[in-house]
Amino acid sequence: MTKINSINRTSLMPNYAPASFIPVKGKKSVLWDEQGKDYIDFGGGIAVTCLGHSHPQLNKVLKEQSKKLWHVSNYLYNKPALELSKMLADKTFADKVFFSNSGNEANEAAIKLARKYYFDQGKPEKHEIIVFTNAFHGRSMLNITAGDSKFQKTGFGPLLQGFKRAKFNDLNSVKKVVSKKTAAIFVEPILGESGIIRAENPFLEGLRKLANEKDCLLIFDEVQSGIGRTGTLMTYMGYGVKPDISTLAKGLGGGIPIGATLTTGKIAKAFQPGTHGSTFGGNPLACEVAKKVVEIVSSQKVLKGVMKKTFNFHEKLNKLSEKYNLFEDVRSAGLWICCDFKKIKAKDFIDACYKKGLILVQAAGEKTIRIAPSLIISEKEIEEGFKRFEKAVKALK
Ligand SMILES: Cc1ncc(COP(=O)(O)O)c(C=O)c1O
């Protein structure tokens, strides 16, 4: 039998820079590599494995569904997709849902929907999208256009047309670019890749008011912030500001690929048969797993647990910071935490953590690390993770 560690890694394109070890098994918040070494998972696959690894209930529904039906195409209904759409509609501002496979695709549907909504009203001139500084929406042509990273755009032009950029958390800058041509304001309620930076309440409230006044749509990208990550099922709920369209992906499948674009019944009418689609979007396997994820994450036990655990992470990070003079800043929105080191480079720290058996994720900024663990990570796992965190700090001192 071919040994796993003999796999030729060079057949993959070089667009990622993965760690040198290969995880082969996961349970709860622990991963094991091919040598049997264990790692506490504080990264959660970048805010994806919101119920950890090998969750027994997710395994069960996946296994059961795998024996029933995998794919039928969107020419036919499938029950898991119908049921998941109903669940999301019941639990959120939305009436209608379009399913896809990723955050990129969910955003693509959102922007197409906004433009088509106004086109159908006889207002094709309303096609501009207002986007923000420090935004990240994914790596498709649409999403690098909407995002604010020069690096991510370099070499990929020409980009898409009809985008205006305003300053995040600066309502006046939005007022300067909004016009009769604006179809939508497209924003992450909390900037994720840029380091957990919250929209201030008056900013989001102001965007809502402005969108109503100027007759344009408010779109929230909740691809990373949604599904319990910030202590409510969706982040807009904590703000009390409802969008017209919102996108979900990462946590929604707990590790199985799925994206969703949520909207109201009125706006959804713009997507008549044939106007938009996705071969795999809404496939029964992914939807059946996502149904269970939404059911579990929506429980008060899990959502209250997020806030309790957030406090625990903060306390431990602050203690370590005091002891070793570590951080310039620690920011969080629920179990979504960023720490800016004073001196240490994030990459060096993450490598040191790998050696000690802990997984963390980098965020924008050379000295910023991100923690986005399972929402149900245990106290014991947190405790053990921090022992390893401290060992990594000592190794670099
Ligand atoms: C806010 C946000 N939007 C969109 C995306 C893109 O999602 P995906 O990689 O699933 O296409 C990401 C991914 O990190 C994200 O954080």
Side-chain angles (χ1 to χ4, degrees), residues 131-155:
V131 293
F132 290 89
T133 51
N134 295 317
F136 179 81
H137 297 290
R139 306 298 195 113
S140 68
M141 291 302 286
L142 161 75
N143 289 305
I144 59 170
T145 305
D148 192 28
S149 162
K150 209 171 165 189
F151 174 74
Q152 286 162 15
K153 295 175 207 251
T154 301

PDB file of all heavy atoms in Angstrom, residues 131-155:
ATOM      1  N   VAL A 131     -18.487  49.142  -2.565  1.00  0.00           N
ATOM      2  CA  VAL A 131     -17.694  48.195  -1.768  1.00  0.00           C
ATOM      3  C   VAL A 131     -16.748  48.989  -0.868  1.00  0.00           C
ATOM      4  O   VAL A 131     -16.692  50.220  -0.962  1.00  0.00           O
ATOM      5  CB  VAL A 131     -16.914  47.223  -2.689  1.00  0.00           C
ATOM      6  CG1 VAL A 131     -17.867  46.298  -3.428  1.00  0.00           C
ATOM      7  CG2 VAL A 131     -16.045  47.988  -3.693  1.00  0.00           C
ATOM      8  N   PHE A 132     -15.965  48.307  -0.026  1.00  0.00           N
ATOM      9  CA  PHE A 132     -15.267  49.016   1.048  1.00  0.00           C
ATOM     10  C   PHE A 132     -13.760  48.769   1.128  1.00  0.00           C
ATOM     11  O   PHE A 132     -13.268  47.756   0.624  1.00  0.00           O
ATOM     12  CB  PHE A 132     -15.928  48.662   2.392  1.00  0.00           C
ATOM     13  CG  PHE A 132     -17.286  49.285   2.477  1.00  0.00           C
ATOM     14  CD1 PHE A 132     -18.404  48.606   2.006  1.00  0.00           C
ATOM     15  CD2 PHE A 132     -17.440  50.580   2.937  1.00  0.00           C
ATOM     16  CE1 PHE A 132     -19.656  49.206   2.012  1.00  0.00           C
ATOM     17  CE2 PHE A 132     -18.684  51.185   2.946  1.00  0.00           C
ATOM     18  CZ  PHE A 132     -19.792  50.496   2.483  1.00  0.00           C
ATOM     19  N   THR A 133     -13.117  49.695   1.778  1.00  0.00           N
ATOM     20  CA  THR A 133     -11.688  49.532   2.056  1.00  0.00           C
ATOM     21  C   THR A 133     -11.514  48.320   2.981  1.00  0.00           C
ATOM     22  O   THR A 133     -12.369  48.050   3.831  1.00  0.00           O
ATOM     23  CB  THR A 133     -11.125  50.790   2.772  1.00  0.00           C
ATOM     24  OG1 THR A 133     -11.970  51.083   3.895  1.00  0.00           O
ATOM     25  CG2 THR A 133     -11.065  51.993   1.846  1.00  0.00           C
ATOM     26  N   ASN A 134     -10.430  47.629   2.797  1.00  0.00           N
ATOM     27  CA  ASN A 134     -10.074  46.439   3.589  1.00  0.00           C
ATOM     28  C   ASN A 134     -11.050  45.268   3.448  1.00  0.00           C
ATOM     29  O   ASN A 134     -11.030  44.335   4.242  1.00  0.00           O
ATOM     30  CB  ASN A 134      -9.914  46.771   5.080  1.00  0.00           C
ATOM     31  CG  ASN A 134      -8.754  47.703   5.298  1.00  0.00           C
ATOM     32  OD1 ASN A 134      -7.691  47.523   4.703  1.00  0.00           O
ATOM     33  ND2 ASN A 134      -8.944  48.748   6.087  1.00  0.00           N
ATOM     34  N   ALA A 135     -11.921  45.336   2.431  1.00  0.00           N
ATOM     35  CA  ALA A 135     -12.888  44.239   2.249  1.00  0.00           C
ATOM     36  C   ALA A 135     -12.211  43.003   1.672  1.00  0.00           C
ATOM     37  O   ALA A 135     -11.237  43.103   0.921  1.00  0.00           O
ATOM     38  CB  ALA A 135     -13.990  44.691   1.296  1.00  0.00           C
ATOM     39  N   PHE A 136     -12.755  41.843   2.035  1.00  0.00           N
ATOM     40  CA  PHE A 136     -12.383  40.580   1.377  1.00  0.00           C
ATOM     41  C   PHE A 136     -13.662  39.800   1.099  1.00  0.00           C
ATOM     42  O   PHE A 136     -14.465  39.575   2.006  1.00  0.00           O
ATOM     43  CB  PHE A 136     -11.441  39.727   2.242  1.00  0.00           C
ATOM     44  CG  PHE A 136     -11.080  38.429   1.562  1.00  0.00           C
ATOM     45  CD1 PHE A 136     -10.087  38.384   0.595  1.00  0.00           C
ATOM     46  CD2 PHE A 136     -11.770  37.255   1.856  1.00  0.00           C
ATOM     47  CE1 PHE A 136      -9.781  37.190  -0.071  1.00  0.00           C
ATOM     48  CE2 PHE A 136     -11.472  36.060   1.208  1.00  0.00           C
ATOM     49  CZ  PHE A 136     -10.473  36.037   0.240  1.00  0.00           C
ATOM     50  N   HIS A 137     -13.856  39.408  -0.151  1.00  0.00           N
ATOM     51  CA  HIS A 137     -15.074  38.679  -0.503  1.00  0.00           C
ATOM     52  C   HIS A 137     -14.789  37.381  -1.244  1.00  0.00           C
ATOM     53  O   HIS A 137     -15.721  36.733  -1.704  1.00  0.00           O
ATOM     54  CB  HIS A 137     -15.978  39.565  -1.366  1.00  0.00           C
ATOM     55  CG  HIS A 137     -16.466  40.796  -0.664  1.00  0.00           C
ATOM     56  ND1 HIS A 137     -17.383  40.758   0.364  1.00  0.00           N
ATOM     57  CD2 HIS A 137     -16.145  42.118  -0.825  1.00  0.00           C
ATOM     58  CE1 HIS A 137     -17.626  41.988   0.792  1.00  0.00           C
ATOM     59  NE2 HIS A 137     -16.879  42.834   0.104  1.00  0.00           N
ATOM     60  N   GLY A 138     -13.507  37.024  -1.419  1.00  0.00           N
ATOM     61  CA  GLY A 138     -13.181  35.797  -2.144  1.00  0.00           C
ATOM     62  C   GLY A 138     -12.241  36.090  -3.296  1.00  0.00           C
ATOM     63  O   GLY A 138     -11.739  37.205  -3.452  1.00  0.00           O
ATOM     64  N   ARG A 139     -11.992  35.049  -4.121  1.00  0.00           N
ATOM     65  CA  ARG A 139     -10.934  35.152  -5.146  1.00  0.00           C
ATOM     66  C   ARG A 139     -11.437  35.041  -6.575  1.00  0.00           C
ATOM     67  O   ARG A 139     -10.634  34.894  -7.488  1.00  0.00           O
ATOM     68  CB  ARG A 139      -9.893  34.056  -4.920  1.00  0.00           C
ATOM     69  CG  ARG A 139      -9.290  33.988  -3.548  1.00  0.00           C
ATOM     70  CD  ARG A 139      -8.531  35.243  -3.194  1.00  0.00           C
ATOM     71  NE  ARG A 139      -7.702  34.979  -2.028  1.00  0.00           N
ATOM     72  CZ  ARG A 139      -6.378  34.960  -2.040  1.00  0.00           C
ATOM     73  NH1 ARG A 139      -5.720  35.230  -3.141  1.00  0.00           N
ATOM     74  NH2 ARG A 139      -5.713  34.695  -0.947  1.00  0.00           N
ATOM     75  N   SER A 140     -12.753  35.022  -6.787  1.00  0.00           N
ATOM     76  CA  SER A 140     -13.245  35.010  -8.174  1.00  0.00           C
ATOM     77  C   SER A 140     -13.023  36.403  -8.763  1.00  0.00           C
ATOM     78  O   SER A 140     -12.678  37.352  -8.046  1.00  0.00           O
ATOM     79  CB  SER A 140     -14.735  34.671  -8.207  1.00  0.00           C
ATOM     80  OG  SER A 140     -15.459  35.737  -7.624  1.00  0.00           O
ATOM     81  N   MET A 141     -13.248  36.565 -10.068  1.00  0.00           N
ATOM     82  CA  MET A 141     -13.058  37.883 -10.681  1.00  0.00           C
ATOM     83  C   MET A 141     -13.959  38.917 -10.014  1.00  0.00           C
ATOM     84  O   MET A 141     -13.543  40.037  -9.752  1.00  0.00           O
ATOM     85  CB  MET A 141     -13.347  37.836 -12.186  1.00  0.00           C
ATOM     86  CG  MET A 141     -12.340  37.047 -12.980  1.00  0.00           C
ATOM     87  SD  MET A 141     -10.646  37.619 -12.818  1.00  0.00           S
ATOM     88  CE  MET A 141     -10.710  39.086 -13.806  1.00  0.00           C
ATOM     89  N   LEU A 142     -15.212  38.535  -9.752  1.00  0.00           N
ATOM     90  CA  LEU A 142     -16.116  39.469  -9.050  1.00  0.00           C
ATOM     91  C   LEU A 142     -15.537  39.836  -7.699  1.00  0.00           C
ATOM     92  O   LEU A 142     -15.471  41.011  -7.328  1.00  0.00           O
ATOM     93  CB  LEU A 142     -17.500  38.831  -8.827  1.00  0.00           C
ATOM     94  CG  LEU A 142     -18.309  39.541  -7.719  1.00  0.00           C
ATOM     95  CD1 LEU A 142     -18.862  40.869  -8.198  1.00  0.00           C
ATOM     96  CD2 LEU A 142     -19.405  38.665  -7.169  1.00  0.00           C
ATOM     97  N   ASN A 143     -15.132  38.810  -6.969  1.00  0.00           N
ATOM     98  CA  ASN A 143     -14.784  39.067  -5.568  1.00  0.00           C
ATOM     99  C   ASN A 143     -13.424  39.727  -5.381  1.00  0.00           C
ATOM    100  O   ASN A 143     -13.231  40.436  -4.389  1.00  0.00           O
ATOM    101  CB  ASN A 143     -14.938  37.775  -4.768  1.00  0.00           C
ATOM    102  CG  ASN A 143     -16.412  37.435  -4.609  1.00  0.00           C
ATOM    103  OD1 ASN A 143     -17.183  38.259  -4.125  1.00  0.00           O
ATOM    104  ND2 ASN A 143     -16.808  36.253  -5.050  1.00  0.00           N
ATOM    105  N   ILE A 144     -12.500  39.548  -6.337  1.00  0.00           N
ATOM    106  CA  ILE A 144     -11.265  40.348  -6.209  1.00  0.00           C
ATOM    107  C   ILE A 144     -11.542  41.795  -6.624  1.00  0.00           C
ATOM    108  O   ILE A 144     -10.924  42.719  -6.115  1.00  0.00           O
ATOM    109  CB  ILE A 144     -10.025  39.763  -6.948  1.00  0.00           C
ATOM    110  CG1 ILE A 144     -10.247  39.589  -8.441  1.00  0.00           C
ATOM    111  CG2 ILE A 144      -9.541  38.493  -6.286  1.00  0.00           C
ATOM    112  CD1 ILE A 144      -8.965  39.242  -9.215  1.00  0.00           C
ATOM    113  N   THR A 145     -12.512  41.983  -7.521  1.00  0.00           N
ATOM    114  CA  THR A 145     -12.903  43.354  -7.872  1.00  0.00           C
ATOM    115  C   THR A 145     -13.504  44.036  -6.633  1.00  0.00           C
ATOM    116  O   THR A 145     -13.168  45.184  -6.310  1.00  0.00           O
ATOM    117  CB  THR A 145     -13.955  43.366  -9.008  1.00  0.00           C
ATOM    118  OG1 THR A 145     -13.447  42.636 -10.123  1.00  0.00           O
ATOM    119  CG2 THR A 145     -14.292  44.780  -9.442  1.00  0.00           C
ATOM    120  N   ALA A 146     -14.392  43.331  -5.960  1.00  0.00           N
ATOM    121  CA  ALA A 146     -15.063  43.902  -4.783  1.00  0.00           C
ATOM    122  C   ALA A 146     -14.106  44.034  -3.599  1.00  0.00           C
ATOM    123  O   ALA A 146     -14.233  44.951  -2.787  1.00  0.00           O
ATOM    124  CB  ALA A 146     -16.249  43.030  -4.400  1.00  0.00           C
ATOM    125  N   GLY A 147     -13.142  43.134  -3.491  1.00  0.00           N
ATOM    126  CA  GLY A 147     -12.186  43.176  -2.394  1.00  0.00           C
ATOM    127  C   GLY A 147     -11.201  44.320  -2.561  1.00  0.00           C
ATOM    128  O   GLY A 147     -11.126  44.941  -3.626  1.00  0.00           O
ATOM    129  N   ASP A 148     -10.431  44.570  -1.500  1.00  0.00           N
ATOM    130  CA  ASP A 148      -9.578  45.763  -1.524  1.00  0.00           C
ATOM    131  C   ASP A 148      -8.088  45.423  -1.532  1.00  0.00           C
ATOM    132  O   ASP A 148      -7.269  46.258  -1.174  1.00  0.00           O
ATOM    133  CB  ASP A 148      -9.925  46.635  -0.307  1.00  0.00           C
ATOM    134  CG  ASP A 148      -9.307  48.019  -0.407  1.00  0.00           C
ATOM    135  OD1 ASP A 148      -9.092  48.509  -1.541  1.00  0.00           O
ATOM    136  OD2 ASP A 148      -9.020  48.622   0.657  1.00  0.00           O
ATOM    137  N   SER A 149      -7.742  44.180  -1.909  1.00  0.00           N
ATOM    138  CA  SER A 149      -6.328  43.843  -1.879  1.00  0.00           C
ATOM    139  C   SER A 149      -5.685  44.047  -3.252  1.00  0.00           C
ATOM    140  O   SER A 149      -6.074  43.398  -4.226  1.00  0.00           O
ATOM    141  CB  SER A 149      -6.158  42.378  -1.458  1.00  0.00           C
ATOM    142  OG  SER A 149      -4.879  41.923  -1.824  1.00  0.00           O
ATOM    143  N   LYS A 150      -4.706  44.937  -3.266  1.00  0.00           N
ATOM    144  CA  LYS A 150      -3.995  45.205  -4.511  1.00  0.00           C
ATOM    145  C   LYS A 150      -3.277  43.939  -4.981  1.00  0.00           C
ATOM    146  O   LYS A 150      -3.299  43.579  -6.151  1.00  0.00           O
ATOM    147  CB  LYS A 150      -2.967  46.320  -4.242  1.00  0.00           C
ATOM    148  CG  LYS A 150      -2.667  47.151  -5.443  1.00  0.00           C
ATOM    149  CD  LYS A 150      -1.835  48.348  -5.051  1.00  0.00           C
ATOM    150  CE  LYS A 150      -1.245  48.950  -6.300  1.00  0.00           C
ATOM    151  NZ  LYS A 150      -0.263  49.971  -6.011  1.00  0.00           N
ATOM    152  N   PHE A 151      -2.667  43.248  -4.016  1.00  0.00           N
ATOM    153  CA  PHE A 151      -1.929  42.025  -4.329  1.00  0.00           C
ATOM    154  C   PHE A 151      -2.835  40.993  -5.010  1.00  0.00           C
ATOM    155  O   PHE A 151      -2.461  40.370  -6.001  1.00  0.00           O
ATOM    156  CB  PHE A 151      -1.315  41.443  -3.052  1.00  0.00           C
ATOM    157  CG  PHE A 151      -0.655  40.108  -3.265  1.00  0.00           C
ATOM    158  CD1 PHE A 151       0.560  40.015  -3.924  1.00  0.00           C
ATOM    159  CD2 PHE A 151      -1.262  38.935  -2.831  1.00  0.00           C
ATOM    160  CE1 PHE A 151       1.158  38.783  -4.146  1.00  0.00           C
ATOM    161  CE2 PHE A 151      -0.670  37.700  -3.048  1.00  0.00           C
ATOM    162  CZ  PHE A 151       0.545  37.624  -3.699  1.00  0.00           C
ATOM    163  N   GLN A 152      -4.044  40.831  -4.444  1.00  0.00           N
ATOM    164  CA  GLN A 152      -4.950  39.805  -4.991  1.00  0.00           C
ATOM    165  C   GLN A 152      -5.470  40.148  -6.392  1.00  0.00           C
ATOM    166  O   GLN A 152      -5.926  39.287  -7.126  1.00  0.00           O
ATOM    167  CB  GLN A 152      -6.117  39.566  -4.031  1.00  0.00           C
ATOM    168  CG  GLN A 152      -5.677  38.767  -2.811  1.00  0.00           C
ATOM    169  CD  GLN A 152      -6.630  38.850  -1.642  1.00  0.00           C
ATOM    170  OE1 GLN A 152      -7.764  39.271  -1.773  1.00  0.00           O
ATOM    171  NE2 GLN A 152      -6.158  38.448  -0.480  1.00  0.00           N
ATOM    172  N   LYS A 153      -5.396  41.435  -6.747  1.00  0.00           N
ATOM    173  CA  LYS A 153      -5.868  41.840  -8.083  1.00  0.00           C
ATOM    174  C   LYS A 153      -4.737  41.793  -9.118  1.00  0.00           C
ATOM    175  O   LYS A 153      -5.000  41.664 -10.315  1.00  0.00           O
ATOM    176  CB  LYS A 153      -6.388  43.280  -8.043  1.00  0.00           C
ATOM    177  CG  LYS A 153      -7.622  43.488  -7.181  1.00  0.00           C
ATOM    178  CD  LYS A 153      -7.974  44.967  -7.125  1.00  0.00           C
ATOM    179  CE  LYS A 153      -8.698  45.317  -5.871  1.00  0.00           C
ATOM    180  NZ  LYS A 153     -10.100  45.633  -6.029  1.00  0.00           N
ATOM    181  N   THR A 154      -3.487  41.938  -8.630  1.00  0.00           N
ATOM    182  CA  THR A 154      -2.360  42.107  -9.550  1.00  0.00           C
ATOM    183  C   THR A 154      -2.205  40.927 -10.502  1.00  0.00           C
ATOM    184  O   THR A 154      -2.122  39.769 -10.070  1.00  0.00           O
ATOM    185  CB  THR A 154      -1.061  42.335  -8.743  1.00  0.00           C
ATOM    186  OG1 THR A 154      -1.258  43.496  -7.956  1.00  0.00           O
ATOM    187  CG2 THR A 154       0.138  42.547  -9.667  1.00  0.00           C
ATOM    188  N   GLY A 155      -2.190  41.238 -11.779  1.00  0.00           N
ATOM    189  CA  GLY A 155      -1.981  40.203 -12.799  1.00  0.00           C
ATOM    190  C   GLY A 155      -3.262  39.597 -13.324  1.00  0.00           C
ATOM    191  O   GLY A 155      -3.224  38.762 -14.225  1.00  0.00           O
TER     192      GLY A 155
END
